[in-house]
Amino acid sequence: MSLDKLTKTIIESAEKKAQEISEKYKQEIQKLRDETDEQIKKLTQENNERITQEQALIKTQAISNAELNAQQKILQTKWMIIDEVFQKAQDKFIASDAYINSLKDLIVKNADKTSEIIISKKDYDKLQKLLPNVKLTASDNLLNGLVIKKSRVELNYSLDRIISSLKSELVIELSKLLFIK
């Protein structure tokens, strides 16, 4: 064998070996690219699922908050209506003859000669006509009703206090009547 032929065989063998090595690394590079692409797809899918779950959670929270706010507004409106009903009932009672007669009856039943009877200025004239022999004291501090002071005992019959105590007892019944579903 000649030197040229030997060189040619060595070169061909080296080129073949280089080609095999190149092909092997190309395959490994492609395999790494495929694995990387798979990992990217998997991470993207997991990320999209997490985003979808977070969006659903945010949507659920927003709906819950909106429903809660709506319920609070409805409750506030109901309380305003209940307060308005009590105020109208109080105004109607004060405008009636039953109001002054109730005050007169309270005085007759609960006061004696030593009692101090404090009434609102607006009721003073009406009660003075009904009870001319009873000493009454008009007060700017009392809007309606009366207070009877007997020695150390004070009986508070102010209409605001009476309505307030009745309100706590009647609010459930009133709400059932007003807001039947």
Side-chain angles (χ1 to χ4, degrees):
M1 236 179 143
S2 72
L3 189 58
D4 285 336
K5 201 174 182 183
L6 184 61
T7 306
K8 187 178 176 184
T9 306
I10 291 173
I11 290 175
E12 285 176 0
S13 177
E15 285 177 352
K16 187 178 177 185
K17 191 70 168 171
Q19 184 69 24
E20 288 173 2
I21 291 171
S22 177
E23 282 298 317
K24 181 180 175 187
Y25 282 115
K26 282 183 183 177
Q27 288 175 356
E28 285 184 28
I29 290 171
Q30 187 59 44
K31 183 180 174 186
L32 287 172
R33 282 185 180 150
D34 291 345
E35 288 174 359
T36 304
D37 287 345
E38 233 4 83
Q39 286 179 345
I40 290 172
K41 284 180 186 176
K42 183 180 177 185
L43 290 172
T44 302
Q45 183 179 359
E46 289 173 358
N47 192 38
N48 288 341
E49 288 173 1
R50 192 181 81 248
I51 288 172
T52 302
Q53 289 173 349
E54 287 179 12
Q55 286 174 336
L57 178 63
I58 290 170
K59 183 179 178 181
T60 302
Q61 288 174 339
I63 290 170
S64 293
N65 285 339
E67 288 173 348
L68 181 62
N69 287 338
Q71 288 296 329
Q72 286 176 338
K73 287 181 182 179
I74 289 169
L75 188 59
Q76 287 174 344
T77 303
K78 286 181 176 182
W79 274 108
M80 285 174 42
I81 291 169
I82 288 171
D83 287 340
E84 187 177 319
V85 166
F86 274 101
Q87 186 60 49
K88 285 183 178 182
Q90 181 176 339
D91 293 345
K92 192 172 183 177
F93 179 63
I94 290 171
S96 72
D97 289 337
Y99 169 67
I100 292 296
N101 289 330
S102 296
L103 294 179
K104 181 186 92 168
D105 292 344
L106 285 171
I107 293 169
V108 170
K109 289 179 185 173
N110 295 297
D112 57 27
K113 301 248 185 231
T114 62
S115 300
E116 179 184 0
I117 302 166
I118 304 167
I119 60 171
S120 68
K121 274 190 171 183
K122 65 182 179 185
D123 297 331
Y124 182 80
D125 291 335
K126 292 177 189 173
L127 277 172
Q128 193 64 51
K129 287 179 187 174
L130 289 175
L131 300 167
N133 297 329
V134 176
K135 183 182 177 208
L136 303 173
T137 305
S139 172
D140 289 327
N141 297 331
L142 193 61
L143 296 175
N144 46 52
L146 59 94
V147 175
I148 300 174
K149 290 184 179 180
K150 292 181 177 181
S151 60
R152 294 183 200 156
V153 178
E154 185 174 293
L155 304 172
N156 186 348
Y157 295 110
S158 69
L159 196 54
D160 291 334
R161 191 203 54 78
I162 293 170
I163 295 284
S164 177
S165 67
L166 286 175
K167 189 175 188 179
S168 62
E169 296 172 19
L170 297 176
V171 75
I172 293 172
E173 292 299 318
L174 184 59
S175 62
K176 285 179 186 176
L177 290 172
L178 292 173
F179 310 116
I180 297 173
K181 288 187 177 183

